[in-house]
Amino acid sequence: MQFDALALNCLVQETAARALPGRIQKIVMPDPRSLVLELYGRGQRHWLRITGWGPECGLYLTEIRPRRGEGPNQPFLELLRKYADGAGASALYLPDPDERVVCLALAHREHGDQTLLCELTGRNGNLFLLGDGNHILGSLRRVPPGTTRDLRPRQPYQPLPPRDMCSPLECPVPRLEAALQVQAGAPGWRALTATVAGMGPMQAREIVFRTSGRADVAAGELDGPALAGAIRDLWQPVLTGEWSPSSIGDNGGVTTCAPYPIRHLPGAKPEPELTPLLSRLQPPDPYAEVRRNLRTRIGKAQTRTGRRLKGAARDLPEPGAAERLRTQAQWLLALQHSIEAGQTELETPDDCGPVALVPGRTPVQQAEAMFKRARKLERAAEAVPRRIRELERDRDYLAQLLLDLEQAADRPELEAVREDLEQTGLAGRSQVRKSRPKVPPPARGPRRFRHGQFIILVGRNARQNDQVTFAKGSPKDLWLHARDHPGSHVVIQSGGRNVPRETLDGAARLAAYHSGLRGENRARVMVAERRHVRKPARARPGQVTIRKGKARTVVVDAVEPDWQEAGGPGVSAPE
């Protein structure tokens, strides 16, 4: 969905009807671009999410309780907690229906009246807290001096400069026809977005479709009066409040939605309100900032490990290089009396190649240096392959941590990824403050499923993979894992009994679903008896080798198989 001015008008009216008047009970900043206000109004608790800038710039009520972000609080958050926390919110409105600017009127018992002004203009958006006389108390993004508008603190707020565009509520036909004639060769929807204020591309395509029956008509082919009438009809709910939202999606999900009946796209269905659709369209991740910081740290660790791996590969000597150099040194000592003055190269009788003579060195000195270099190459031939194996294990482990991060469902699982990352020492020191307001509860145990007479265990992360494989799995159990990809260890607690094909296929699909192959059509899954699975020396958590096993091709499920949960001590059921 596009947060154009028409969508904001609809969302503002729905938010005001649901949550206002109300009182701000809590303010959190889940990420540096977003603000969430907990409002208590009309006998219920609501969460108003405002994203000040970026591609998701907008405002709407969300049903998901917010979580605070990572790192120290930003100055704007501290300012809001001083002036707006506990304040009454009396009105939410757009000063100009054509502009993407929303105001929330606040009244604080100690600090008086303020206004939270939201310029929701995409990448240039910003949030401002205005005090008496519309003076700026602070902003989400610092505006440097020297820009078109002076938006520094303690300065009066300057509105967005007016644009030479026609209002969609009036839309004079002569001006619209003149704009269509000037841009006759351009797509009609593009001409509308450049001429009519507050109009996004999707809304413009809808208007063109309603006028001509097609959404890709050129501007010169459109009829001006019909186009102006379609624009006014689409914007009429701004004045009447009678909105007719619609959505497009399947299986309970929403791929797009709008505050009007969508006709230029197939499969649209009417909806009672627009606000609930946004949580289904793009449900906000309550741990987005935590996940983003960990993803950045893992990415930097992967980059460093990749550089070290390339450097180690360059340091790896060629096979036989040390022996060849030693043989050349021996021939140099044996033939030193045949070397003439000014000679630059010594031919050797065997196939070890000629020896380049170093000026200023005697044959004995050069031979000693060659023997020393040969010993160094021998040590490198032993140490560098071992170092490469260690770096490859680190690379694979970081890939596993990245998968654990993407599949983590709650804060304890995210904290488990953080602890595993910091224990490796690969990501450096964390920049997040050490003191946290709350200690998250311990992470849940492995997933536990029941299929027929068998219990199937699935690890949630690298640490639990070791637990599933070696602590809970017996030598005669079946072990499964996605081949050549990071993922969860899956153990069928068979105890040596024959496992039906249906159970084995289902467990293989579980292994594919909880791996880096999620989203693919098919996957290769390794199946082995647990007794053939070994943990190498100095391996990271979850890293194993298989002595004997078979690969099985399965279809990767779009969702986790709906199997019967099987509770147990210390083990939780699937989400």
Side-chain angles (χ1 to χ4, degrees), residues 206-221:
E206 177 67 25
I207 292 173
V208 170
F209 180 84
R210 294 188 180 191
T211 304
S212 63
R214 288 167 45 206
D216 56 351
V217 176
E221 303 177 21

Side-chain angles (χ1 to χ4, degrees), residues 142-160:
R142 181 178 177 273
V143 181
T147 55
T148 306
R149 298 183 293 162
D150 188 0
L151 298 174
R152 293 173 296 172
R154 295 185 294 276
Q155 300 297 322
Y157 171 76
Q158 299 179 17
L160 291 169

Side-chain angles (χ1 to χ4, degrees), residues 69-187:
E70 288 280 274
N73 292 333
Q74 293 196 16
F76 188 61
L77 177 60
E78 298 292 350
L79 183 73
L80 285 176
R81 287 178 174 172
K82 176 181 178 180
Y83 286 96
D85 198 357
S90 57
L92 184 69
Y93 60 94
L94 282 81
D96 185 350
D98 305 345
E99 291 287 355
R100 290 178 291 172
V101 178
V102 181
C103 294
L104 178 63
L106 306 174
H108 197 277
R109 289 180 298 178
E110 180 180 353
H111 301 289
D113 295 339
Q114 294 98 31
T115 301
L116 179 61
L117 188 141
C118 313
E119 292 184 354
L120 307 177
T121 53
R123 62 180 181 180
N124 297 321
N126 206 345
L127 306 182
F128 300 91
L129 183 63
L130 309 181
D132 294 337
N134 276 349
H135 281 73
I136 299 174
L137 299 177
S139 60
L140 178 63
R141 302 170 70 185
R142 181 178 177 273
V143 181
T147 55
T148 306
R149 298 183 293 162
D150 188 0
L151 298 174
R152 293 173 296 172
R154 295 185 294 276
Q155 300 297 322
Y157 171 76
Q158 299 179 17
L160 291 169
R163 296 178 296 171
D164 187 20
M165 304 177 76
C166 60
S167 169
L169 294 173
E170 301 173 357
C171 203
V173 175
R175 183 173 180 182
L176 191 60
E177 289 180 334
L180 294 177
Q181 186 175 2
V182 171
Q183 307 178 58

Side-chain angles (χ1 to χ4, degrees), residues 528-561:
E529 290 188 14
R530 206 322 253 120
R531 60 193 176 98
H532 296 310
V533 180
R534 296 287 185 270
K535 189 170 185 65
R538 296 189 294 180
R540 300 289 188 184
Q543 294 183 337
V544 297
T545 58
I546 307 172
R547 186 174 59 185
K548 181 180 178 182
K550 294 182 179 180
R552 194 180 192 91
T553 302
V554 295
V555 176
V556 184
D557 294 326
V559 296
E560 191 173 48

Side-chain angles (χ1 to χ4, degrees), residues 10 64 86 287 340 418 443 530:
C10 177
I64 301 177
Y287 308 104
E340 300 178 355
R418 186 201 304 276
R530 206 322 253 120

Side-chain angles (χ1 to χ4, degrees), residues 181-205:
Q181 186 175 2
V182 171
Q183 307 178 58
W189 66 268
R190 192 179 296 276
L192 283 181
T193 58
T195 306
V196 183
M199 185 166 296
M202 181 175 175
Q203 181 190 158
R205 287 187 174 95

